[in-house]
Amino acid sequence: MCSTGSTEDVLQQMSKLWSMLDDLSENDPAAYRTLIEKQIKEGAEFRAPPELYTCLCTEILKPKKGLLYINICGWKRVPAPQDPSRPLPVYTGKLETGTNEDQGWYTVLDVALNPVLLQESRENKAEINQVYMLALSFAQKQLGMTLSQQYRVVNSSPNSSPDELHCRLGFQKLSSAPKQPNTAGQTPAALLQHISSLRSENQEDSAPQIIFRPAEKIKKDLIHVISAASVEPQKPEYRLEMKTDAAGVPDSVELTVELPMVCSMSECQLSMSKDDVLLEVEDLYYLLVDFPKTVNEDTASAIFNKKKRRLTLKVNVL
């Protein structure tokens, strides 16, 4: 419970505030209107919804294999970082999991940062990569998952409509937008009451807890993770088989490659000669395989199974 002295102090401060605003409205109406309109504008910005900036996709290795989508959003409700020595404010949404035919099991995590931070980082590739790595490191520690050290930027995650994104982040749309008041014809008391009610409505929206992480720890994590992510594309798991005809004579070669981070055939680049085949997926996979026998590259065919994320290449031998 507040003491009587504390209550009187607050009342005295409020009285001084009213007096200052009264003086400002009488002596400098233009400055008074500018001040009030600025406060109302900030209130309107505070009620603006989160906006999707980009989406990352990486592979979950443990405890259950699947894909993790991280929606990185800009939200003016998230405080801007003050300086590198202060903690970085982050909002996180409710975790969502699901399955579908094309992707199998997946998890969606929404992470919101101040849009000024994202805008400044966008202009510097190294800085935006740090933001991405921070999001991955944060997700790994918060969710208790073991994630792949590689990621890719995708257009969207499953269930990523604005309404679904807003729901997971706890943003609630108001039924109607507030009308801007005529500041010239209102008293200081009436306008401050309007501003107060505007902020009160915003604060009633359900919002995730702000998670702060020490800046020094962030820097250490980023140095470690970025170093790990700068390795060469990994060699995928594969199986090479010689197929025979009814007489037992070798007639074709079949190459099966597991590509858990690939969504479609268009991401794969295949180069083939009569002696070997090269498979490349930018920044993710690199595989060079020698054929056990000389092949006729004109007979080659490749199929990508989206559900199993598996590439199968077949080619006849000479």
Side-chain angles (χ1 to χ4, degrees):
M1 180 179 292
C2 295
S3 65
T4 304
S6 299
T7 304
E8 290 178 353
D9 289 343
V10 172
L11 291 175
Q12 288 178 1
Q13 293 176 5
M14 290 297 296
S15 178
K16 290 180 181 179
L17 176 61
W18 293 123
S19 178
M20 290 172 58
L21 287 172
D22 282 334
D23 291 341
L24 185 63
S25 65
E26 292 177 4
N27 300 325
D28 193 346
Y32 165 72
R33 286 195 298 272
T34 299
L35 172 64
I36 297 300
E37 288 170 356
K38 178 183 177 183
Q39 296 299 314
I40 293 173
K41 180 181 177 182
E42 289 178 353
E45 290 179 347
F46 185 81
R47 76 167 58 232
E51 295 183 0
L52 181 63
Y53 174 80
T54 191
C55 180
L56 307 181
C57 178
T58 188
E59 185 182 3
I60 303 172
L61 304 177
K62 294 179 181 178
K64 179 181 179 180
K65 284 199 171 185
L67 293 179
L68 172 66
Y69 292 90
I70 303 177
N71 290 318
I72 299 179
C73 306
W75 199 3
K76 293 180 179 179
R77 189 169 300 188
V78 181
Q82 299 300 313
D83 59 68
S85 64
R86 299 291 301 275
L88 179 68
V90 179
Y91 275 1
T92 59
K94 295 180 180 178
L95 201 65
E96 181 166 329
T97 60
T99 57
N100 60 38
E101 284 189 18
D102 292 337
Q103 298 171 331
W105 186 75
Y106 64 84
T107 300
V108 179
L109 174 66
D110 306 305
V111 175
L113 301 168
N114 185 274
V116 174
L117 173 67
L118 294 175
Q119 184 61 38
E120 292 176 350
S121 301
R122 175 182 295 183
E123 300 171 1
N124 186 308
K125 186 175 180 180
E127 289 184 5
I128 197 60
N129 284 337
Q130 286 190 350
V131 172
Y132 293 167
M133 291 302 169
L134 174 59
L136 289 167
S137 178
F138 171 79
Q140 181 164 272
K141 292 184 178 181
Q142 289 295 313
L143 303 180
M145 295 177 174
T146 301
L147 303 177
S148 169
Q149 295 178 343
Q150 296 176 324
Y151 70 89
R152 56 194 175 92
V153 178
V154 297
N155 292 329
S156 63
S157 73
N159 305 329
S160 60
S161 70
D163 287 343
E164 291 169 317
L165 191 68
H166 296 167
C167 180
R168 289 194 297 267
L169 281 168
F171 174 79
Q172 297 177 351
K173 291 183 179 179
L174 299 178
S175 56
S176 59
K179 294 182 180 179
Q180 295 296 326
N182 181 2
T183 58
Q186 292 196 25
T187 64
L191 284 170
L192 281 181
Q193 184 177 5
H194 172 81
I195 295 170
S196 178
S197 64
L198 178 64
R199 292 191 179 275
S200 296
E201 285 179 345
N202 287 328
Q203 291 172 353
E204 288 174 359
D205 291 347
S206 60
Q209 180 182 4
I210 297 180
I211 299 173
F212 293 96
R213 302 182 65 219
E216 291 184 0
K217 185 173 182 181
I218 288 174
K219 291 178 181 178
K220 291 178 182 178
D221 288 345
L222 286 177
I223 292 172
H224 172 73
V225 177
I226 290 173
S227 175
S230 63
V231 298
E232 294 294 322
Q234 64 185 8
K235 183 178 181 180
E237 295 181 8
Y238 73 95
R239 183 175 67 257
L240 186 65
E241 296 180 290
M242 178 67 75
K243 300 292 184 179
T244 59
D245 59 18
V249 178
D251 66 350
S252 64
V253 175
E254 182 174 295
L255 174 66
T256 304
V257 188
E258 304 296 334
L259 302 172
M261 289 290 293
V262 175
C263 290
S264 69
M265 187 71 185
S266 61
E267 300 177 50
C268 304
Q269 297 181 10
L270 282 169
S271 303
M272 184 185 303
S273 72
K274 62 181 182 178
D275 300 313
D276 56 34
V277 59
L278 172 64
L279 168 65
E280 294 179 283
V281 180
E282 186 176 3
D283 297 329
L284 292 177
Y285 299 113
Y286 181 94
L287 178 66
L288 178 61
V289 178
D290 291 329
F291 291 127
K293 285 184 173 292
T294 304
V295 301
N296 181 359
E297 57 264 46
D298 293 334
T299 63
S301 64
I303 299 176
F304 183 75
N305 186 315
K306 290 185 177 181
K307 184 175 182 179
K308 296 181 179 180
R309 298 181 183 271
R310 178 182 297 160
L311 175 70
T312 302
L313 171 71
K314 295 181 180 179
V315 61
N316 293 340
V317 300
L318 292 175

